[in-house]
Amino acid sequence: MARFTHPAILQTGGSELENWIVEGGAVEAQPTFDGDPLFLGHYVVIGNLCHFTVEVDMDNITDFGEGQYYIKLPFPSHHAVLLSDGCLHDISGDDQYAILGHAEAGSDVLMLFSIGSNGRHAPFSSTGPVGLDTSDNFHIAGIYEIDLGS
């Protein structure tokens, strides 16, 4: 499981610096890294809305793992949510692919998807939508309502 920290701004009337330990990986076999993961991420909370951004640079991955990728959100989502503000940059193929995230109500797990040629959501993994390379990177962002009951 990948973990990283990055300063975040938490706004609940005033500004306060917070740290977010971002976790993620693959559902079948976790990726492995040569050193600290090269991830960047931050979030801002205003009221019960959270905006987050995560960027993953794959330069230090020695094994991409197996199965669908996921990240954990800073807080559980109040509602089921589909976030579509993501992109995989296939550097060697000089191409880009949409990355989507889906979280169930009450969960902080954001399962990652791409869009298949038939328009359906396909699990984002080391082999799809394209075979990954260490020169590739992806990012995903979104706004969702925090589950305050958690």
Side-chain angles (χ1 to χ4, degrees), residues 1-55:
M1 179 177 303
R3 295 168 50 105
F4 66 97
T5 62
H6 189 281
I9 298 172
L10 178 62
Q11 293 183 334
T12 54
S15 295
E16 183 179 330
L17 221 48
E18 294 288 330
N19 287 326
W20 172 30
I21 298 175
V22 179
E23 300 178 26
V27 295
E28 293 175 27
Q30 294 297 326
T32 55
F33 301 87
D34 180 16
D36 288 334
L38 300 177
F39 296 167
L40 297 174
H42 65 273
Y43 69 88
V44 175
V45 173
I46 301 173
N48 61 342
L49 295 179
C50 177
H51 178 273
F52 75 96
T53 301
V54 174
E55 298 179 24

Side-chain angles (χ1 to χ4, degrees), residues 2-147:
R3 295 168 50 105
F4 66 97
T5 62
H6 189 281
I9 298 172
L10 178 62
Q11 293 183 334
T12 54
S15 295
E16 183 179 330
L17 221 48
E18 294 288 330
N19 287 326
W20 172 30
I21 298 175
V22 179
E23 300 178 26
V27 295
E28 293 175 27
Q30 294 297 326
T32 55
F33 301 87
D34 180 16
D36 288 334
L38 300 177
F39 296 167
L40 297 174
H42 65 273
Y43 69 88
V44 175
V45 173
I46 301 173
N48 61 342
L49 295 179
C50 177
H51 178 273
F52 75 96
T53 301
V54 174
E55 298 179 24
V56 178
D57 188 349
M58 301 178 186
D59 287 352
N60 67 345
I61 294 179
T62 59
D63 184 323
F64 285 95
E66 293 181 29
Q68 184 174 7
Y69 292 138
Y70 67 90
I71 63 165
K72 287 198 170 184
L73 297 168
F75 309 96
S77 179
H78 184 65
H79 302 284
V81 63
L82 175 67
L83 305 169
S84 58
D85 191 6
C87 186
L88 167 64
H89 300 274
D90 175 22
I91 304 303
S92 61
D94 193 29
D95 215 343
Q96 298 181 53
Y97 299 87
I99 297 296
L100 311 148
H102 182 267
E104 295 181 9
S107 176
D108 65 350
V109 176
L110 188 70
M111 299 302 296
L112 301 178
F113 295 87
S114 63
I115 300 174
S117 60
N118 60 3
R120 293 184 178 170
H121 297 173
F124 174 35
S125 70
S126 64
T127 58
V130 65
L132 296 178
D133 184 82
T134 56
S135 63
D136 299 335
N137 63 77
F138 78 91
H139 55 86
I140 188 161
I143 298 173
Y144 68 99
E145 186 178 354
I146 298 169
D147 184 359

